[in-house]
Amino acid sequence: MKVKVFKKMTCLMLMVALAFGCKKDDGISVPLQNEVNEFVWFAMNDYYYWVDEVNDLSIEKYPTYNALYTFLNTYRQPDDLFYDLLHPDDLNQSSGRPFSWFVDDYEELEASFQGTSKSFGFQYRLLNPSGTNQVYGYVKYVVPTGNQVSPAFEAGLTRGDIFVGINGQDLTIDNYQSLLSKDQYTLNLGAVVDGSVTATDESVSLTAVENFSENPILISKTLDVEGVKVGYLMYNQFVNNATYHTQLNQKFGDFKSNGVTELVLDLRYNPGGSVTTAQILGSLIYGAGTTTTVFTTSRYNDNIEAALASVGSDPNDYFINKIPDTSTELNRLSVSRVFILTSGNTASASELIISGLDPYLDLTLIGTKTVGKNLGSVTLYDSPNYGKTPTDSQVNHTNPNHKNAIQPIVARFTNINDIDYVTGFQPDFVIDEKDYLENLSPLGDINEPLLAQALEIITGTARSVRKPDNGMRVIYDSNLEKEQINTILLDKDLSVVFNSNLLRTQ
């Protein structure tokens, strides 16, 4: 489908300087057994952030096609090759999963980036009481509707509902993964009585629906608390979608017209997404930021840095005053502080918001520690320019033989003060909603524990009694199913890397 040109050592010496590539010679005696392996290796060699620190991505180690193919042929499965090429720093310390991942079907991936997936329409956590084999689940939130009716909403499931079994079988450490992996099941419900979870006779049957789209704006409302107008926004994914951008801007327009003077931004379930969308939200919040005020800065591997510098590409993203590619003005707030609600699901672009706003506003974080992912990725396809769209009429489209792609880490992000968040953000007020199972208030309710803490600071009036740790450990969070979107998705055009011939000729 495509010809990649591998350079011998003599060409490597010239590569760093400028634009010469060596033509693939005819002396190949080792046949390649899997074309996807070749795509994976070259894409990682071009783009991967830690390429210079991974020995098996070294051209010095594999200076000829015969040497490279001999190595690649030791892998029968391209995903095994991909994960073996990852750097130790490419790891989510909280989940133990890599931040980069191999993609089996890029069409499903693209849908997930737009908030579309197979879904029951609710998110949950699984808890294990200390010293037992038992597992209990609780519903974090239910999506009312998307592009279709949410199965969970239709079945009457609500936030705070407890479930103790699936299809009549009690959940345990040993069986919860298999029981919850189905596309159709019945949740056997329970209740918290005197601090203990007990089963009830109630149950809810659910069937997952295909292509369910969840609007990232789950809740947006203006609260009037003791005469203070507080804007509350629960935002659950940074989707680069023009319709969602317009809706987000309209919500901030409502905040302005309602006289909002304080803002609570709820990112506790937000795994990340688009840099552009984070830039829009950050600009809506920090109205004083100008188009020359730095929101975030990105760094790449040496070859990409050189290619971008050669065309004068700016590593910074700035605050903006219009929705990108439109003439629509942003409804920007004028607040001096923001209360941000966080959890172990808060990652990537959500953390980018915290990092980007921190130099300019007084931020108070409430909840639990965030993931700690200051890294960005791109989707790379098996095509000459690693994109789905040809750069010109002479370039072929994506390889029709498969739908594999890769989503490697290619960039590191910092704020204007060159501060990153690789260890995550520790909240100023630690509150874990799992400790409130007996009365887990609805999201957006003034008595909901995390929001209540923010309102207590705003008004100076105590609003809730802090609950002690209930002794249950979280063993699974359904937001892990969204982990493949918990990334900062780069919107910057990096095609110059391929046009420069720094690493290949075609």
Side-chain angles (χ1 to χ4, degrees):
M1 176 62 190
K2 66 177 179 180
V3 177
K4 300 187 186 77
V5 177
F6 191 78
K7 282 148 291 299
K8 295 186 177 181
M9 286 299 293
T10 54
C11 293
L12 175 66
M13 304 305 294
L14 296 173
M15 178 193 72
V16 177
L18 284 171
F20 295 100
C22 295
K23 290 297 179 183
K24 184 175 181 180
D25 61 39
D26 295 325
I28 299 177
S29 58
V30 179
L32 180 67
Q33 295 175 3
N34 190 320
E35 64 178 342
V36 181
N37 283 350
E38 184 182 22
F39 149 64
V40 167
W41 193 90
F42 273 97
M44 292 288 282
N45 186 277
D46 276 358
Y47 254 138
Y48 195 45
Y49 181 73
W50 295 281
V51 61
D52 292 334
E53 300 176 44
V54 177
N55 190 37
D56 278 331
L57 286 174
S58 169
I59 295 178
E60 290 93 336
K61 184 173 183 179
Y62 305 114
T64 66
Y65 268 97
N66 285 329
L68 178 63
Y69 286 1
T70 298
F71 166 66
L72 296 181
N73 287 344
T74 63
Y75 289 89
R76 298 188 63 183
Q77 300 298 328
D79 56 336
D80 291 336
L81 167 66
F82 176 80
Y83 289 111
D84 278 357
L85 292 174
L86 299 185
H87 189 273
D89 288 349
D90 193 345
L91 189 69
N92 183 337
Q93 296 300 323
S94 60
S95 73
R97 299 184 182 187
F99 286 127
S100 299
W101 71 91
F102 184 86
V103 179
D104 293 317
D105 186 334
Y106 55 70
E107 291 181 348
E108 291 182 4
L109 177 72
E110 292 160 355
S112 72
F113 287 153
Q114 291 299 312
T116 300
S117 63
K118 179 180 285 189
S119 176
F120 291 102
F122 78 105
Q123 297 292 333
Y124 61 88
R125 280 171 117 183
L126 299 181
L127 308 176
N128 168 236
S130 179
T132 75
N133 195 44
Q134 296 172 304
V135 171
Y136 307 125
Y138 78 89
V139 176
K140 297 193 300 183
Y141 73 92
V142 174
V143 183
T145 58
N147 58 339
Q148 52 188 306
V149 177
S150 158
F153 179 75
E154 193 171 39
L157 210 58
T158 62
R159 171 174 166 81
D161 280 346
I162 308 292
F163 57 96
V164 299
I166 302 290
N167 299 330
Q169 187 172 350
D170 290 344
L171 285 168
T172 69
I173 292 290
D174 302 317
N175 68 18
Y176 76 86
Q177 290 178 314
S178 61
L179 290 178
L180 285 164
S181 65
K182 308 293 191 297
D183 292 335
Q184 182 176 5
Y185 50 60
T186 296
L187 295 177
N188 306 118
L189 301 183
V192 181
V193 180
D194 297 328
S196 298
V197 176
T198 60
T200 67
D201 294 330
E202 297 181 85
S203 63
V204 174
S205 296
L206 299 170
T207 300
V209 294
E210 297 278 0
N211 303 317
F212 182 79
S213 292
E214 176 184 342
N215 191 313
I217 306 171
L218 185 69
I219 304 170
S220 177
K221 60 180 8 178
T222 299
L223 304 171
D224 191 335
V225 186
E226 298 183 20
V228 181
K229 295 296 181 66
V230 181
Y232 172 80
L233 174 69
M234 170 161 262
Y235 195 68
N236 285 346
Q237 186 182 341
F238 289 86
V239 179
N240 192 358
N241 177 286
T243 298
Y244 293 153
H245 291 166
T246 298
Q247 292 174 359
L248 183 61
N249 192 39
Q250 290 170 344
K251 298 300 183 183
F252 274 78
D254 294 340
F255 288 159
K256 292 186 70 173
S257 61
N258 291 338
V260 161
T261 58
E262 302 279 2
L263 178 66
V264 178
L265 177 62
D266 197 337
L267 299 177
R268 76 181 84 176
Y269 305 138
N270 192 316
S274 162
V275 171
T276 295
T277 307
Q279 188 181 24
I280 292 171
L281 179 57
S283 299
L284 285 165
I285 294 170
Y286 181 49
T290 70
T291 55
T292 59
T293 306
V294 174
F295 172 60
T296 187
T297 298
S298 52
R299 295 287 182 262
Y300 305 87
N301 69 40
D302 289 345
N303 287 321
I304 293 180
E305 290 272 359
L308 293 175
S310 70
V311 295
S313 178
D314 191 338
N316 299 319
D317 287 296
Y318 301 90
F319 290 94
I320 55 179
N321 51 32
K322 295 181 181 179
I323 297 178
D325 302 320
T326 76
S327 59
T328 303
E329 295 284 340
L330 292 179
N331 296 310
R332 307 180 69 181
L333 291 182
S334 296
V335 294
S336 60
R337 63 179 181 176
V338 183
F339 298 86
I340 302 180
L341 311 186
T342 66
S343 77
N345 297 140
T346 307
S348 298
S350 290
E351 294 173 298
L352 193 66
I353 286 287
I354 300 170
S355 173
L357 292 179
D358 186 56
Y360 310 107
L361 295 173
D362 179 11
L363 303 184
T364 299
L365 273 55
I366 300 169
T368 55
K369 182 176 175 290
T370 67
V371 170
K373 187 182 178 189
N374 63 316
L375 304 167
S377 69
V378 292
T379 307
L380 301 180
Y381 303 85
D382 190 359
S383 73
N385 66 350
Y386 296 133
K388 290 188 72 176
T389 304
T391 55
D392 58 57
S393 60
Q394 302 303 313
V395 179
N396 293 320
H397 285 274
T398 304
N399 190 334
N401 297 329
H402 64 86
K403 289 186 179 181
N404 296 144
I406 61 174
Q407 191 78 28
I409 294 300
V410 303
R412 179 178 68 90
F413 286 84
T414 66
N415 63 17
I416 192 173
N417 297 325
D418 198 31
I419 297 174
D420 62 24
Y421 42 92
V422 67
T423 59
F425 290 102
Q426 290 283 358
D428 301 288
F429 297 86
V430 178
I431 302 176
D432 194 331
E433 65 178 33
K434 75 175 178 61
D435 299 324
Y436 295 77
L437 291 184
E438 290 187 68
N439 184 23
L440 194 61
S441 301
L443 293 165
D445 186 287
I446 61 174
N447 296 310
E448 192 279 317
L450 277 69
L451 176 56
Q453 177 63 68
L455 297 178
E456 179 177 323
I457 299 169
I458 291 170
T459 63
T461 303
R463 307 200 61 82
S464 64
V465 177
R466 189 70 57 85
K467 294 288 186 71
D469 189 326
N470 62 17
M472 293 191 185
R473 66 186 181 103
V474 179
I475 61 169
Y476 182 77
D477 194 305
S478 63
N479 271 78
L480 287 175
E481 298 167 14
K482 290 186 173 184
E483 190 171 37
Q484 287 193 337
I485 58 172
N486 103 350
T487 188
I488 302 172
L489 300 175
L490 273 73
D491 304 309
K492 187 184 292 291
D493 180 11
L494 300 180
S495 61
V496 62
V497 176
F498 314 112
N499 296 336
S500 69
N501 284 329
L502 280 170
L503 298 177
R504 68 167 56 73
T505 57
Q506 296 174 0

